[in-house]
Amino acid sequence: MQYFRLLLLSLLLAPAITVTGQQLKTKQENGYFNITNPAEIQVVQSIDSAMLASGNARFRPGFEFHTINGFFVNPSFSLGLGIGLQFSNYKYYPATTDETVKTSGAEITSLPIFADFRYYPRNSISGTLFIIDAGYAPTLSVRNEAHKPFLGGGAFMKLGAAYKFYLSEFISFVPSLNFKAQRYGEHTVVGGTLGIGFMF
């Protein structure tokens, strides 16, 4: 009789445990979300030299921070809109040796605005996801104003993979590795990025 009662009790509790587990698994794959990347290191380089009025430039590593707001279409797929600030460095090679312009550490500040698409193969509180970002980054400023007409804004695309580490009911850690291609005026740079993000 005692075994019968234990069996009956376990059968009654099983649906509740299953429902609770399902709610926990899908809690962060439902409705609105925010992903904030306080730091994304970008190791990019020029496909070819960017031609300037009196020389050329080749791009070097930089960094970016951005935030994405979006929603889950279903537990496996999300759509978002991102905005951020990007700081790109390049080395300037003057055409003549008598120029007084600083030849290294030149900086471009851009405003990336992009659509963010994420695919989650497994519906779980921690797991792999795949990323596609596409957008445009207008140039806000160039340290050397004479270079701005040649290194203006341009389109960019990023393809990557990330892993979502569940930390608590309200936050997850989402590091990512990405391939990125970006235009600066008529010039193209490509490379990799390492993102350090948090999902709320």
Side-chain angles (χ1 to χ4, degrees):
M1 188 69 175
Q2 186 175 3
Y3 293 114
F4 177 74
R5 287 179 183 172
L6 286 173
L7 180 62
L8 182 61
L9 183 61
S10 64
L11 288 173
L12 290 172
L13 288 176
I17 293 168
T18 303
V19 170
T20 302
Q22 287 174 347
Q23 287 172 344
L24 178 63
K25 283 180 72 174
T26 61
K27 188 165 187 63
Q28 288 189 317
E29 283 78 40
N30 188 9
Y32 166 81
F33 70 89
N34 172 271
I35 295 176
T36 296
N37 254 316
E40 183 177 274
I41 301 165
Q42 304 188 353
V43 182
V44 297
Q45 67 178 43
S46 307
I47 290 180
D48 52 16
S49 294
M51 300 306 297
L52 307 176
S54 56
N56 56 51
R58 291 192 66 83
F59 278 76
R60 309 174 77 178
F63 72 95
E64 175 182 324
F65 61 86
H66 60 252
T67 185
I68 300 164
N69 291 288
F71 67 96
F72 281 91
V73 177
N74 58 51
S76 296
F77 185 68
S78 70
L79 298 172
L81 182 63
I83 187 168
L85 277 177
Q86 180 182 17
F87 302 93
S88 305
N89 296 304
Y90 64 93
K91 185 173 177 70
Y92 172 53
Y93 297 90
T96 61
T97 57
D98 59 352
E99 288 195 50
T100 58
V101 177
K102 188 176 181 181
T103 60
S104 64
E107 187 178 275
I108 302 172
T109 303
S110 306
L111 181 74
I113 302 168
F114 57 95
D116 177 82
F117 307 91
R118 294 177 183 242
Y119 173 64
Y120 298 75
R122 295 178 60 221
N123 179 20
S124 59
I125 61 174
S126 294
T128 305
L129 59 134
F130 299 97
I131 306 163
I132 299 176
D133 286 345
Y136 191 88
T139 298
L140 299 179
S141 67
V142 179
R143 184 177 293 176
N144 183 346
E145 284 296 320
H147 297 171
K148 191 170 183 179
F150 303 91
L151 299 172
F156 68 89
M157 177 169 278
K158 188 163 63 177
L159 306 173
Y163 195 91
K164 182 168 74 74
F165 293 94
Y166 177 88
L167 300 180
S168 76
E169 186 178 355
F170 303 104
I171 186 170
S172 291
F173 176 50
V174 190
S176 64
L177 282 172
N178 311 275
F179 167 81
K180 186 174 187 179
Q182 183 167 351
R183 296 278 284 174
Y184 289 88
E186 298 300 313
H187 183 57
T188 303
V189 301
V190 297
T193 74
L194 171 63
I196 300 170
F198 295 91
M199 181 177 180
F200 305 92

